[in-house]
């Protein structure tokens, strides 16, 4: 945009610096030509300014708006190695907290649930374990419970006894009492060291992840895949399991409780060998 203006300025000195002054008529003609050229250049500049729009900046003003190098934020080596995910996301990787290779997301267990008259095939698949929140969840599949439904799968959530939950059940709608809790926990030999302290209700197990046995409560919530079904003729999932999990052997021992069901139904499961391979997923 500035090029026509520079040419006009460069042309004017060439006319004024002639070695021999021309005649008056030539000077008048030269002045007239110069004046016409200046008017033409001025008009050309006006047209260029109108076409450029109000947002165009001259090279000098554009450079003046640039921040100085000292004002630019410096990038550390860690920033270059790990691109930022924005203010709403963290660059810190979150790893799942599971105490052993058996009690983790993806682990499968297989065994039986036995009553006085029947033995049922049971499979359990753990979907998520969070020791910091004393929580886990998964699917429990039982076969042969009813003729109309040869296979039933339920979604369950577990409370891990330790820093957050005690041996005494804190859910009135589960139908258990402190006396019922202690009666069922007493069926596990691993519970004996905690029997007297568990009566106080506020007792917590320290260093839970380093212990051989982990105690839990597993509560079934709904059927899978149709979660709208709440009752089934000949079967019930309104109760819950008292669980003792052995971290060394990878075994699950449980006792099912429901106020209207047969007492002390035993659950015995063993870890399904997967050669240490399991699926893992990380959301970023």
């Amino acid at each position: 945009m500035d090029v026509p203006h520079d040419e006009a300025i460069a042309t004017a000195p060439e006319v004024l610096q002639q070695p021999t002054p021309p005649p008056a008529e030539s000077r008048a003609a030269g002045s007239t030509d110069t004046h016409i050229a200046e008017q033409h250049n001025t008009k050309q500049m006006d047209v260029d300014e109108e076409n450029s729009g109000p947002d165009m900046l001259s090279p000098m003003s554009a450079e003046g708006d640039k921040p100085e190098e000292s004002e630019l934020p410096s990038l550390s080596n860690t920033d270059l190695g790990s691109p930022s995910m924005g203010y709403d996301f963290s660059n810190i990787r979150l790893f799942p907290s599971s105490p052993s290779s058996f009690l983790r997301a993806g682990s499968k267990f297989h065994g039986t649930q036995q009553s006085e008259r029947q033995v049922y095939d049971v499979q359990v698949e753990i979907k998520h374990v969070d020791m910091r929140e004393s929580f886990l969840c998964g699917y429990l599949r039982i076969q042969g419970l009813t003729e109309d439904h040869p296979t039933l799968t339920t979604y369950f959530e577990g409370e891990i006894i330790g820093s957050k939950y005690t041996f005494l059940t804190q859910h009135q709608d589960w139908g258990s009492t402190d006396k019922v809790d202690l009666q069922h926990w007493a069926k596990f030999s691993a519970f004996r060291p905690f029997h007297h302290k568990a009566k106080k209700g506020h007792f917590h197990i320290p260093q839970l992840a380093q212990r051989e046995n982990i105690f839990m409560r597993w509560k079934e919530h709904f059927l899978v895949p149709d979660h709208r079904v709440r009752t089934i003729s000949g079967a019930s999932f309104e109760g819950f399991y008292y669980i003792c999990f052995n971290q060394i052997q990878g075994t699950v021992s449980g006792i099912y409780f429901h106020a209207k069901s047969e007492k002390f139904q035993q659950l015995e499961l063993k870890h399904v060998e997967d050669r240490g391979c399991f699926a893992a997923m990380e959301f970023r």
Side-chain angles (χ1 to χ4, degrees), residues 102 109 244-253 268-271:
F102 297 118
F109 300 86
C244 178
F245 173 73
N246 188 292
Q247 294 198 95
I248 298 178
Q249 300 177 3
T251 57
V252 176
S253 298
E268 297 293 337
L269 305 174
K270 293 183 179 181
H271 182 261

Side-chain angles (χ1 to χ4, degrees), residues 11-231:
T11 304
E14 293 178 0
V15 175
L16 295 177
Q17 294 179 1
Q18 293 294 332
T20 304
E25 295 179 359
S26 300
R27 289 199 302 269
S31 301
T32 303
D33 295 338
T34 305
H35 181 67
I36 294 173
E38 290 177 352
Q39 289 182 347
H40 175 73
N41 293 335
T42 304
K43 291 181 180 180
Q44 183 66 29
M45 292 174 59
D46 295 338
V47 172
D48 294 339
E49 289 177 358
E50 291 177 359
N51 294 334
S52 63
D55 294 334
M56 294 296 293
L57 297 176
S58 65
M60 183 176 296
S61 61
E63 293 178 357
D65 293 339
K66 292 182 179 179
E68 297 181 359
E69 295 183 357
S70 59
E71 297 178 356
L72 294 176
S74 59
L75 296 176
S76 62
N77 295 331
T78 56
D79 294 335
L80 297 175
S82 56
S84 175
M85 302 294 290
Y87 292 104
D88 296 333
F89 300 92
S90 173
N91 288 333
I92 301 175
R93 299 185 64 183
L94 301 178
F95 296 94
S97 59
S98 55
S100 69
S101 59
F102 297 118
L103 189 62
R104 53 170 171 75
S107 288
K108 295 181 180 180
F109 300 86
H110 182 251
T112 60
Q113 179 171 330
Q114 183 176 356
S115 64
E116 292 182 356
R117 295 171 293 179
Q118 296 289 336
V119 178
Y120 305 100
D121 185 86
V122 176
Q123 299 177 31
V124 169
E125 181 177 358
I126 304 299
K127 287 298 183 181
H128 179 68
V129 178
D130 191 341
M131 294 299 295
R132 287 182 290 266
E133 295 296 328
S134 303
F135 173 84
L136 63 79
C137 63
Y139 296 126
L140 187 148
R141 183 180 295 107
I142 186 169
Q143 297 180 358
L145 199 60
T146 64
E147 295 181 358
D148 297 335
H149 301 84
T151 301
L152 292 174
T153 302
T154 58
Y155 167 80
F156 73 91
E157 293 181 350
E159 298 178 348
I160 301 176
I161 311 302
S163 60
K164 188 174 182 179
Y165 300 102
T166 67
F167 285 101
L168 303 181
T169 305
Q170 303 299 319
H171 306 278
Q172 295 182 357
D173 55 336
W174 290 12
S176 180
T177 62
D178 294 352
K179 181 179 179 180
V180 172
D181 288 334
L182 296 176
Q183 286 178 347
H184 283 75
W185 289 124
K187 297 292 183 179
F188 304 104
S189 58
F191 174 72
R192 293 174 184 173
F194 309 106
H195 185 270
H196 295 289
K197 294 182 179 180
K199 295 180 180 180
K200 300 179 180 180
H202 299 288
F203 169 69
H204 299 287
I205 303 176
Q207 299 180 351
L208 182 62
Q210 284 72 39
R211 294 184 176 273
E212 179 179 355
N213 296 284
I214 295 179
F215 299 94
M216 296 176 276
R217 282 183 288 264
W218 289 1
K219 178 69 177 74
E220 297 172 285
H221 287 280
F222 52 81
L223 285 175
V224 176
D226 192 353
H227 65 278
R228 296 170 297 179
V229 178
R230 294 297 180 181
T231 58

